[in-house]
Amino acid sequence: MRRPHLPARLPLDPYILALLATVGLAALLPARGAAATAAGAASTAAVALLFFLYGARLSTREALDGLRHWRLHLTVLACTFLLFPVLGLTLRALAPGLLPPALQSGLLFLCLVPSTVQSSIAFTSIARGNVPAAICAGSFSSLAGIILTPLLAAVLLGGRTGGLSLDSLLRITLQLLLPFLLGQALRRWVGGVLTRHKKTLGHVDRGSILLVVYAAFSAGMVAGIWQQISPLRLGALMLLEALLLTVMLLVTWYGAARLGFGREDRIAIQFAGSKKSLAAGLPMASVLFGAQAGLAVLPLMLFHQMQLMVGAALARRRAQDPRPELPADHVAEVSRAG
């Protein structure tokens, strides 16, 4: 009898450990006074740098080439920016007393951020899915999220994010949209440099996000917002997120089948359509929530680790699924086309 292949370990993301350490540092040594002002300014600059790098790295040509698979990309976008928000609103309506207002906003906010790119691609590859489609779907989601996430947050979260005021729109434009567009405009000249120094810039990305987290959680400590969290409410949050992830994994898999997608496309849709980007969500939250960002990003941090653990196990299981045999004439046709 064939023994089931189990993952050697469930992936505890080292970056999550770094984030938790940063939260601990903010709890023990929060920035106050002039230090808080400096941390806030550095955080603002870090957010602008992150979105400049996002814009400079996104290949417009690859994104346009991927438009030929438009049904798959529209399905992923619908899952990310339509179905996720509907589920977030449903959870908030069904369990209004389980979480304090800041965590309710954070839970809904995680439903609004774009899909992650790296883990969606990695898990799609492990599961033997459509990797090019996962790359394009993640890129489209990131691009759409620059506009849709702040707008959805303003509409669905209302006053908790400042609403659609001129000031909030100006902050979004200056800190998110303008750096991203500048990166796209300069990609022709800086793209090669970014590719050659990809590893170093990866550390810059993560270091910038750690700075954003420290500034946000420091502000939360000074404001005393952490007194709103109890172990019971934290457990309730994790149960709600587990339910949210389970529903999305089921809907993306079986819903894609009902829409007529094949196995490889279903895998790409499941992993790209059920994930949320920590890298994009954290800096967006710092812009949208201000001093309340500390509690608001906690649901996203927990969901990120949960989706990694479940995704790794699911990808390995999908890799063991028997692949359907293709007719010989179809194989020959694909070989000639390739």
Side-chain angles (χ1 to χ4, degrees), residues 57-78:
R57 288 170 182 158
L58 180 61
S59 171
T60 308
R61 180 177 179 181
E62 289 180 2
L64 292 175
D65 289 343
L67 285 175
R68 61 186 179 85
H69 215 351
W70 60 271
R71 286 185 65 247
L72 185 147
H73 303 317
L74 285 181
T75 301
V76 172
L77 290 175

Side-chain angles (χ1 to χ4, degrees), residues 73-121:
H73 303 317
L74 285 181
T75 301
V76 172
L77 290 175
C79 291
T80 303
F81 297 112
L82 181 60
L83 182 56
F84 251 117
V86 168
L87 290 176
L89 289 170
T90 302
L91 288 178
R92 189 172 69 171
L94 292 178
L98 290 180
L99 302 176
L103 283 184
Q104 289 184 30
S105 297
L107 181 61
L108 181 54
F109 174 72
L110 89 82
C111 295
L112 309 181
V113 302
S115 175
T116 185
V117 180
Q118 291 87 346
S119 62
S120 296
I121 296 170

Side-chain angles (χ1 to χ4, degrees), residues 54-265:
Y54 292 159
R57 288 170 182 158
L58 180 61
S59 171
T60 308
R61 180 177 179 181
E62 289 180 2
L64 292 175
D65 289 343
L67 285 175
R68 61 186 179 85
H69 215 351
W70 60 271
R71 286 185 65 247
L72 185 147
H73 303 317
L74 285 181
T75 301
V76 172
L77 290 175
C79 291
T80 303
F81 297 112
L82 181 60
L83 182 56
F84 251 117
V86 168
L87 290 176
L89 289 170
T90 302
L91 288 178
R92 189 172 69 171
L94 292 178
L98 290 180
L99 302 176
L103 283 184
Q104 289 184 30
S105 297
L107 181 61
L108 181 54
F109 174 72
L110 89 82
C111 295
L112 309 181
V113 302
S115 175
T116 185
V117 180
Q118 291 87 346
S119 62
S120 296
I121 296 170
F123 291 152
T124 299
S125 177
I126 292 170
R128 301 184 305 179
N130 189 338
V131 175
I135 295 173
C136 291
S139 299
F140 290 152
S141 180
S142 298
L143 182 60
I146 301 295
I147 303 295
L148 291 180
T149 297
L151 291 179
L152 286 171
V155 173
L156 299 180
L157 292 170
R160 295 182 178 87
T161 63
L164 282 170
S165 67
L166 180 61
D167 179 64
S168 64
L169 289 175
L170 184 62
R171 289 200 316 270
I172 292 166
T173 301
L174 292 179
Q175 293 188 53
L176 305 181
L177 184 58
L178 187 60
F180 178 85
L181 294 176
L182 182 61
Q184 276 282 286
L186 297 179
R187 188 181 189 280
R188 177 179 178 183
W189 294 277
V190 303
V193 176
L194 296 181
T195 301
R196 288 194 297 271
H197 298 87
K198 183 177 180 179
K199 184 175 181 180
T200 301
L201 289 172
H203 295 309
V204 173
D205 279 2
R206 297 195 165 199
S208 298
I209 293 176
L210 291 178
L211 177 59
V212 171
V213 170
Y214 175 75
F217 277 79
S218 288
M221 286 298 300
V222 173
I225 62 175
W226 295 105
Q227 298 175 2
Q228 304 177 43
I229 300 181
S230 66
L232 182 61
R233 284 180 165 176
L234 188 60
L237 173 62
M238 296 181 69
L239 285 176
L240 290 175
E241 292 195 340
L243 176 62
L244 177 65
L245 180 59
T246 300
V247 171
M248 286 305 303
L249 287 172
L250 291 174
V251 169
T252 50
W253 181 251
Y254 292 106
R258 291 294 299 270
L259 291 174
F261 289 100
R263 177 188 176 276
E264 293 185 352
D265 287 346

Side-chain angles (χ1 to χ4, degrees), residues 9-20 110 116 119 123 206 238 241-242 245 249 274-279 282 297-313:
R9 61 183 177 87
L10 289 177
L12 182 60
D13 188 358
Y15 191 49
I16 288 292
L17 297 179
L19 286 168
L20 293 176
L110 89 82
T116 185
S119 62
F123 291 152
R206 297 195 165 199
M238 296 181 69
E241 292 195 340
L245 180 59
L249 287 172
S274 65
K275 302 234 173 327
K276 290 296 181 176
S277 173
L278 185 71
L282 288 179
V297 300
L298 182 60
L300 180 59
M301 291 172 61
L302 294 175
F303 190 82
H304 176 80
Q305 181 59 37
M306 190 181 298
Q307 71 183 12
L308 286 180
M309 297 175 68
V310 174

